[in-house]
Amino acid sequence: MKKKMMIWALCLSLLLLPVQAASAAAAVPDGGRLTYETPFAGSSLTGTSSQQQYFTVMDYWNVEDLKINLHFQISQITGDQISSVTLSLNGSPFYSFRPSLQNNGEQSMAIAAPKGFLKDGVNTLSIQGYLRTAAENNQVCYVDNTPDNWLHLFNTSSVAVGYTLKALGGGISDFSERFSGMDYVKRGQSLLSVPDNASGSELEAAAYALSGFAKGNTLEDKTLPLLPYSAEAIRDKGLVVLVALADRVPDELKRQLDSSVDLAGQALIQLVDKDNRPTLVVTSGDESLLIKAGRLLAGSQLVSQIGDDLKIVEDATEVASPALAISSNVSFTETGDKLTGPNHQEQTYFVSLPSNRSIADSGKISLDFRYAENLDFGRSLVTVSINDTPIGSKKLTKELANGDILNLAIPQSLDISGNFSVTVAFDLELVNAPCTLNTGQMPWAYISKETEMQLNTKDRTDLLFNNYPYPFLRDGIYNHVAVVLPQKMDSYTYLSLANVFNLLGQYADGNTGDVHFYTDTVSADHLKNNNIIAIGSYAGNKVIRDNNDKLYFRYSKDGSAFLSNEKLSIDQQYGAEIGTLQLLESPYESGRGLLAVTGAGTEEIYLASKLIASSKDKWKVYGDGVIADKDGNVRAYRFKTIAGSAKDSALQQIAGRSDVLGFVAAAVLAVTLVLVSLLLLFRKHMKKRGDKRET
């Protein structure tokens, strides 16, 4: 009997072995072929024009093939035997075709592209159209900017890269890049984990680490999850990070850690299980060192330099990233930029600014440029725009072609805060352009490296979602943040917490500042001088329950649903099925903020947290009270009439302006010199009068 049971057990284990192997292969598909597809943003071509589509190739990919999937429609009166479309990859043309008029001009194509033209990082696919309508017969000169010359690219078009994964050989740096990599994030293969019922120090270290990984995530609609470590949570994951105190690391991982490390006085960051499910273990027996290790993972520059599988963090280890420098003089290009070809040509520059900073008055753009002398100067000009809003233009002239300057003041009415773009657009018109062959290299314009922006900024302190993530981030670092969580947390609560820190991490520019975690039994003294993020329901979070009367959307007495208010009538059933975000002044200290991420249940809380999880949905959140329901409806309202702290004094405003400070310093110096001169003259005069009296 025992022998039969042993045979049955052996057979069962053999049957289960392929299943386990398949599960591991699904989690870490290193040996298999994968495809990453980047969809187009819908766009159109007219006449002789081009569109650029951008896609990324990760440096840990072995590219097998590249395919361009085009879905487009052309004007129904296009001359299909004289019109053409040419595709170029990183400036090298590789395919041309004539669009067909069949099926009402709508067409789909799959075009193989040469992978030899690819490079690691961002690649540019250019789609150049030469579109002519049937009406041009027997014309010697043809004007190609009529509205009937069009080709529309649908957003179902895409670039598909087929690849296999390179072996994980670059240590912690390589792991970190993959963990935030767009393919792993899109497939949901990355997981940041903590022990079940995580302590405040474990959550704090995990929050810093999550901020760093989120900063490297380039996808606008996908986030990195945070969940308790368990067999169920890691089952389908390819890459796992575990942040845990030493005595809470699971045995199967603890056995793989370097036993020579003194976890009582050191923190350890070690990559284990590389061949099965690569797992980055962050651990220490000392809470402060565990937090320090979490801060290290938030510093992308430091992490990119760790090529080994193991990093020890001690008290003396430097992990702080340099403070963000907000320069008043911003250069657009280090070497200069050349634009070639006739008609409309654009060059766009992106300027980074903390989300709580906005453009103040007296800023200006100084554009230093030159251009070809063969233009039609009666019709050629240059225009500068900020966030697609024109701020000024200048007509091009032959006399200044070899050296022209355009100085423009930045209108304060633009009300720009955070990152923004500056576009320099040239309209390079040729004389007798319809009868001039387009060589693709003439005319031209050149933006020199002397082009710069004088940027004066001011702090935005309004407690409104328009300025989020202020007040929790200020000038790119965490600004005295206290996170209050329920004592009992389920998966939805952990994921809600992850959502909050995914977007905060996207905006964080350093790993300094403070984030502290508490349960809802925290005393009011610990919440003073902090900006509070309270996550939970009425029943689950005492901070929300105690301040229900201060919420804009308040709970009923039993906390089962939200009540109607002056902005919105709420049905009882509907009030139990919505989640809310509410940003109000902290009841524990004036000048600080309280963000309530709340709903009657944890699923509703998660629903609200998704609105502040990524930049994809951030535009829906404004005012200071927002609700979201399960049907995807989002409503935002403003309740506060005065939404911020006191305005900066005149002295504070002067202190933040380098140009004004220089003027004030010069004026004070001049006045001082005049006073000293007068004093010396007065003394000299008095001395002479004294000499005369003696005589």
Side-chain angles (χ1 to χ4, degrees):
M1 185 69 180
K2 288 183 179 180
K3 188 175 180 180
K4 287 184 178 180
M5 290 180 67
M6 290 176 63
I7 293 173
W8 276 107
L10 179 61
C11 292
L12 184 61
S13 64
L14 289 172
L15 286 170
L16 289 175
L17 186 61
V19 176
Q20 293 170 349
S23 177
V28 189
D30 292 82
R33 184 183 182 280
L34 299 166
T35 300
Y36 190 88
E37 200 164 352
T38 304
F40 286 9
S43 57
S44 298
L45 303 173
T46 57
T48 304
S49 62
S50 64
Q51 288 286 339
Q52 281 72 45
Q53 303 291 336
Y54 302 96
F55 64 99
T56 300
V57 172
M58 307 300 291
D59 59 7
Y60 54 84
W61 291 358
N62 285 313
V63 177
E64 300 288 330
D65 55 68
L66 178 66
K67 187 166 63 175
I68 314 300
N69 300 308
L70 294 181
H71 179 202
F72 61 89
Q73 186 175 25
I74 60 170
S75 170
Q76 292 80 359
I77 58 174
T78 300
D80 58 354
Q81 296 305 307
I82 53 176
S83 297
S84 64
V85 176
T86 296
L87 306 182
S88 301
L89 189 57
N90 293 325
S92 299
F94 65 89
Y95 192 82
S96 295
F97 65 92
R98 297 194 186 280
S100 171
L101 286 176
Q102 295 180 0
N103 193 31
N104 200 32
E106 186 173 347
Q107 188 174 352
S108 295
M109 302 177 66
I111 303 162
K115 65 178 184 179
F117 291 166
L118 289 174
K119 61 181 181 180
D120 288 342
V122 178
N123 291 260
T124 304
L125 174 69
S126 295
I127 305 170
Q128 176 77 43
Y130 181 80
L131 306 173
R132 296 289 184 266
T133 60
E136 66 170 295
N137 294 334
N138 301 321
Q139 290 187 17
V140 177
C141 299
Y142 178 69
V143 179
D144 68 357
N145 61 353
T146 55
D148 52 14
N149 297 335
W150 57 266
L151 181 149
H152 178 72
L153 288 160
F154 295 105
N155 57 12
T156 46
S157 303
S158 66
V159 177
V161 182
Y163 66 97
T164 57
L165 294 171
K166 297 178 182 178
L168 180 58
I172 294 173
S173 172
D174 191 1
F175 175 92
S176 177
E177 182 183 10
R178 296 176 190 229
F179 192 85
S180 301
M182 58 187 188
D183 52 336
Y184 279 97
V185 176
K186 189 172 184 177
R187 294 196 305 265
Q189 291 258 285
S190 299
L191 172 69
L192 181 68
S193 63
V194 291
D196 196 18
N197 296 317
S199 67
S201 59
E202 289 169 328
L203 287 172
E204 183 176 347
Y208 295 136
L210 179 57
S211 296
F213 290 126
K215 188 73 174 178
N217 176 20
T218 59
L219 300 181
E220 292 187 351
D221 59 342
K222 299 291 183 181
T223 58
L224 293 163
L226 170 66
L227 287 170
Y229 187 91
S230 66
E232 177 68 24
I234 67 172
R235 178 172 298 163
D236 297 322
K237 304 304 178 185
L239 302 171
V240 176
V241 175
L242 171 65
V243 180
L245 290 167
D247 59 353
R248 308 192 71 195
V249 177
D251 290 339
E252 68 270 16
L253 296 177
K254 188 179 294 185
R255 286 191 293 267
Q256 302 180 58
L257 298 179
D258 190 328
S259 59
S260 65
V261 178
D262 176 19
L263 293 178
Q266 296 174 317
L268 174 65
I269 304 174
Q270 186 174 348
L271 182 57
V272 300
D273 204 13
K274 290 174 63 174
D275 297 329
N276 181 29
R277 181 182 286 107
T279 302
L280 189 67
V281 179
V282 185
T283 187
S284 176
D286 184 286
E287 292 187 344
S288 62
L289 286 174
L290 180 68
I291 292 169
K292 193 169 190 178
R295 286 189 188 274
L296 188 150
L297 290 177
S300 57
Q301 287 185 341
L302 284 174
V303 174
S304 67
Q305 299 166 19
I306 306 175
D308 298 327
D309 292 348
L310 183 148
K311 174 67 177 178
I312 296 174
V313 179
E314 301 174 319
D315 283 327
T317 306
E318 291 291 336
V319 301
S321 57
L324 176 67
I326 304 174
S327 176
S328 59
N329 291 312
V330 178
S331 296
F332 290 146
T333 172
E334 293 182 359
T335 58
D337 293 311
K338 183 180 180 182
L339 297 87
T340 59
N343 305 322
H344 192 79
Q345 305 290 339
E346 291 186 352
Q347 181 70 41
T348 298
Y349 303 98
F350 296 95
V351 181
S352 297
L353 202 63
S355 59
N356 62 288
R357 291 274 168 183
S358 63
I359 297 178
D361 56 352
S362 301
K364 66 179 181 180
I365 294 176
S366 179
L367 179 67
D368 190 282
F369 61 106
R370 51 186 184 270
Y371 39 87
E373 297 184 28
N374 63 335
L375 300 173
D376 182 348
F377 290 103
R379 299 188 299 134
S380 298
L381 75 158
V382 60
T383 301
V384 178
S385 303
I386 296 180
N387 282 355
D388 297 326
T389 300
I391 64 169
S393 298
K394 183 177 182 180
K395 189 176 180 182
L396 307 185
T397 62
K398 189 171 185 178
E399 294 76 16
L400 297 175
N402 292 320
D404 206 342
I405 295 177
L406 173 59
N407 292 312
L408 294 171
I410 301 174
Q412 193 176 0
S413 58
L414 291 178
D415 194 29
I416 291 174
S417 61
N419 300 336
F420 62 94
S421 63
V422 177
T423 300
V424 181
F426 289 92
D427 289 292
L428 305 175
E429 305 293 339
L430 292 174
V431 179
N432 298 322
C435 301
T436 303
L437 291 176
N438 178 15
T439 66
Q441 295 299 317
M442 48 87 67
W444 58 268
Y446 183 79
I447 303 169
S448 77
K449 63 181 181 180
E450 283 74 27
T451 296
E452 66 175 11
M453 168 187 283
Q454 181 181 316
L455 184 62
N456 300 315
T457 65
K458 61 183 179 181
D459 208 359
R460 299 188 70 157
T461 59
D462 292 343
L463 286 175
L464 296 171
F465 285 116
N466 310 57
N467 300 330
Y468 188 82
Y470 178 85
F472 309 103
L473 287 174
R474 189 165 191 174
D475 291 346
I477 65 172
Y478 285 109
N479 181 29
H480 302 287
V481 179
V483 183
V484 183
L485 298 169
Q487 296 184 54
K488 294 183 179 180
M489 294 178 58
D490 62 6
S491 295
Y492 277 121
T493 311
Y494 277 105
L495 291 173
S496 299
L497 176 64
N499 282 340
V500 171
F501 277 91
N502 266 274
L503 189 59
L504 290 177
Q506 289 270 342
Y507 281 92
D509 292 305
N511 62 359
T512 55
D514 294 307
V515 180
H516 298 295
F517 285 81
Y518 305 97
T519 62
D520 67 342
T521 57
V522 60
S523 67
D525 289 340
H526 283 91
L527 299 180
K528 287 182 178 179
N529 198 36
N530 280 310
N531 294 295
I532 304 162
I533 300 174
I535 301 175
S537 64
Y538 179 92
N541 195 314
K542 187 174 183 294
V543 167
I544 292 175
R545 189 163 61 249
D546 288 350
N547 294 286
N548 184 46
D549 61 329
K550 301 176 183 65
L551 297 179
Y552 305 125
F553 291 96
R554 297 172 184 172
Y555 283 100
S556 58
K557 289 183 179 180
D558 61 357
S560 63
F562 290 104
L563 301 173
S564 301
N565 58 25
E566 69 271 26
K567 299 286 186 180
L568 183 67
S569 296
I570 300 176
D571 176 75
Q572 183 177 359
Q573 183 64 33
Y574 186 73
E577 298 174 348
I578 59 176
T580 76
L581 302 171
Q582 303 183 54
L583 184 58
L584 51 145
E585 188 173 12
S586 170
Y588 304 98
E589 182 161 332
S590 176
R592 298 293 183 181
L594 167 63
L595 170 62
V597 185
T598 186
T602 55
E603 189 174 353
E604 287 73 31
I605 296 166
Y606 174 68
L607 195 67
S609 72
K610 289 168 67 175
L611 295 175
I612 50 173
S614 66
S615 55
K616 174 179 175 287
D617 292 318
K618 185 176 178 293
W619 65 272
K620 300 176 183 177
V621 179
Y622 55 89
D624 47 21
V626 184
I627 65 169
D629 63 30
K630 295 179 181 179
D631 295 327
N633 299 310
V634 178
R635 296 182 178 90
Y637 304 93
R638 176 167 177 168
F639 292 86
K640 287 189 291 288
T641 53
I642 300 176
S645 58
K647 300 293 183 183
D648 290 343
S649 66
L651 186 61
Q652 289 173 318
Q653 293 179 24
I654 290 172
R657 290 277 305 278
S658 58
D659 55 335
V660 176
L661 275 176
F663 175 78
V664 171
V668 170
L669 181 60
V671 171
T672 303
L673 290 173
V674 170
L675 290 174
V676 170
S677 300
L678 289 173
L679 181 60
L680 292 174
L681 286 171
F682 180 74
R683 290 184 62 187
K684 183 178 180 181
H685 178 67
M686 293 300 295
K687 187 176 180 181
K688 286 183 177 180
R689 289 186 63 185
D691 291 343
K692 288 180 181 179
R693 284 197 298 270
E694 290 176 4
T695 303

